Amino acid sequence: MSSFIDPRNFYHDQRGLGPGSAVEPTASEVKQGYTAQAKNPPLKIRGLTLKNRVAASPMCMYSSQDGFATDFHLVHIGQLAMRGLGLTIMEGSGVSPEGRITPHCLGIWKDEHIEKLQQIVRFAPANKGAIGIQLAHAGRKSSTVAPWPDNVLGPSAVAFDDNLWIPKELSIDDIHRIQQDFALAAIRADKAGFDVIELHGAHGYLLHEFLSPISNKRTGKYDDTFDNRVRFVVETVRKVRQVWPEQKPLFVRLSMTDWVSPSDDIPTGGWTEEESVELAKILAKEGVDLVDCSTSGSSPKQQIPLSPGYQVRFATAIKQAAPDMLAGAVGLITNAKQANDIVEDEKADLVFLARALLRDPNFVLNGTAELGVFAQYPHQYERGRNKSILTFV
């Protein structure tokens, strides 16, 4: 009778830091044209070493029930983790049920969510990749419906109350409760085994709503002066950092600008790049390790100058003005040379991909080959590296 073999053992005997890491080529591999040039090097953040500088951005999948991860998430995240990414971040997960974008969004507001997340988390280290989770509260953008056709309500399906989606100002007690929700979610993320937490402070969701003068019309302690608009984010970071282990990195995603200029309709204009840089300096002192630099989401009047890598410059601005803070770049980064140049030219410390990975989960493995670098493959996929050789083993 054969003894049980833990399937994770198949991944442990690997060169380098696992799939996606650049390794010294053998003599035969050098003859094939591969080089040992150190492109896409590892990145150490606190007690964590990322095997390369490419990460999967959190992407809403709208495939949960009551906030629970499913087998879909295991396969979706698992296949990204084994294809060579340095870091895979799970989608924005509601710290409270009412904080989800839709009823089909992932959640981490109760202990029962932990078990399935643990199963997913166990798979990533087997491939020597790190795994993170984004903690989120959608604020005035919450409680909508998922985008799939069978979830979209027709015009006559429900007679909505006209006041259903009118935002209500949070009381001070509400603010403290939500901040505690973030802290409790961080504790659950640690119990699940995640390596990284990212707080979602972008795209018009709750933390961003406090930052942007477009949405923050409060008076008092959290009013529309800069110091008070950043207060909610800073206090939330402080609460999370207190319970999140010291050796584990903490990221914050920011919309670096609302892309809204002052006008008759919006006299104040929106949240700006300069304000984001100042906030990054504050967050560095509060124990945040990296700002994930995105943009927009607060107003339909935003004017976004879309072009390849159009948001990279914001990561560069953080690196130049806040040397104690790492910066991640995201947005229309679509090929390996572009991603590699961003890192090599020190425009950002980490490159985040989203749709590019949905189109090509092998982005890292294929990209290293395009750059002429020999990267580790999963053992089970090694036979697929050289298209010119047919094997039947």
Side-chain angles (χ1 to χ4, degrees), residues 94-106:
V95 300
S96 59
E98 68 276 10
R100 291 172 293 171
I101 303 170
T102 79
H104 298 288
C105 290
L106 204 64

Side-chain angles (χ1 to χ4, degrees), residues 108 110-119 121-122 133 183-195 197 243-245 248:
I108 191 168
K110 56 185 176 182
D111 291 347
E112 289 81 1
H113 288 143
I114 295 173
E115 183 178 3
K116 188 65 176 183
L117 294 173
Q118 285 176 326
Q119 181 187 8
V121 166
R122 282 195 298 267
I133 189 168
L184 293 173
I187 293 171
R188 295 185 188 101
D190 182 42
K191 289 180 178 177
F194 286 100
D195 301 301
I197 280 178
V243 300
W244 185 238
K248 292 189 176 186

Side-chain angles (χ1 to χ4, degrees), residues 265-279:
D265 292 336
I266 306 177
T268 61
W271 177 252
T272 67
E273 176 182 351
E274 293 74 21
E275 289 175 310
S276 290
V277 169
E278 290 307 306
L279 176 56

Side-chain angles (χ1 to χ4, degrees), residues 125-138:
N127 292 274
K128 299 188 179 179
I131 185 164
I133 189 168
Q134 187 184 69
L135 305 185
H137 191 297

Side-chain angles (χ1 to χ4, degrees), residues 286 295 315:
E286 296 292 340
T295 63

Side-chain angles (χ1 to χ4, degrees), residues 53-306:
R53 304 296 183 95
V54 184
S57 277
M59 292 177 273
C60 292
M61 291 290 117
Y62 309 106
S63 299
S64 299
Q65 292 293 334
D66 192 28
F68 283 91
T70 66
D71 288 347
F72 166 82
H73 295 92
L74 173 62
V75 175
H76 168 61
I77 297 298
Q79 59 95 19
L80 291 176
M82 69 187 297
R83 306 295 179 115
L85 292 164
L87 171 66
T88 303
I89 301 183
M90 289 194 69
E91 65 198 79
S93 303
V95 300
S96 59
E98 68 276 10
R100 291 172 293 171
I101 303 170
T102 79
H104 298 288
C105 290
L106 204 64
I108 191 168
W109 69 81
K110 56 185 176 182
D111 291 347
E112 289 81 1
H113 288 143
I114 295 173
E115 183 178 3
K116 188 65 176 183
L117 294 173
Q118 285 176 326
Q119 181 187 8
I120 296 167
V121 166
R122 282 195 298 267
F123 191 76
N127 292 274
K128 299 188 179 179
I131 185 164
I133 189 168
Q134 187 184 69
L135 305 185
H137 191 297
R140 66 179 184 172
K141 286 188 170 184
S142 62
S143 302
T144 61
V145 293
W148 319 133
D150 57 344
N151 290 319
V152 176
L153 300 176
S156 61
V158 176
F160 285 121
D161 185 326
D162 289 341
N163 295 320
L164 181 62
W165 287 313
I166 295 177
K168 297 178 181 178
E169 182 175 308
L170 294 175
S171 68
I172 298 299
D173 286 344
D174 290 332
I175 289 172
H176 292 163
R177 172 180 52 79
I178 292 171
Q179 290 172 336
Q180 184 63 14
D181 287 340
F182 272 96
L184 293 173
I187 293 171
R188 295 185 188 101
D190 182 42
K191 289 180 178 177
F194 286 100
D195 301 301
V196 174
I197 280 178
E198 177 174 278
L199 303 184
H200 200 344
H203 303 163
Y205 298 126
L206 185 61
L207 271 64
H208 185 196
E209 288 165 24
F210 274 79
L211 296 175
S212 176
I214 294 173
S215 46
N216 187 341
K217 304 299 183 183
R218 299 178 66 94
T219 58
K221 186 178 179 182
Y222 298 91
D223 70 16
D224 61 357
T225 62
F226 173 81
D227 288 343
N228 284 346
R229 281 189 279 118
V230 304
R231 188 187 302 274
F232 183 88
V233 174
V234 172
E235 289 178 347
T236 303
V237 163
R238 194 172 294 157
K239 276 189 167 291
V240 168
R241 189 75 262 185
Q242 286 173 351
V243 300
W244 185 238
E246 178 66 23
Q247 75 275 15
K248 292 189 176 186
L250 175 62
F251 297 178
V252 174
R253 170 165 277 195
L254 292 180
S255 278
M256 295 288 293
T257 176
D258 285 331
W259 296 115
V260 175
S261 300
S263 65
D264 291 342
D265 292 336
I266 306 177
T268 61
W271 177 252
T272 67
E273 176 182 351
E274 293 74 21
E275 289 175 310
S276 290
V277 169
E278 290 307 306
L279 176 56
K281 295 176 184 177
I282 296 170
L283 295 179
K285 296 176 182 178
E286 296 292 340
V288 173
D289 301 289
L290 180 144
V291 171
D292 179 359
C293 300
S294 189
T295 63
S296 71
S298 272
S299 171
K301 296 185 180 297
Q302 62 195 17
Q303 297 292 318
I304 305 175
L306 291 175

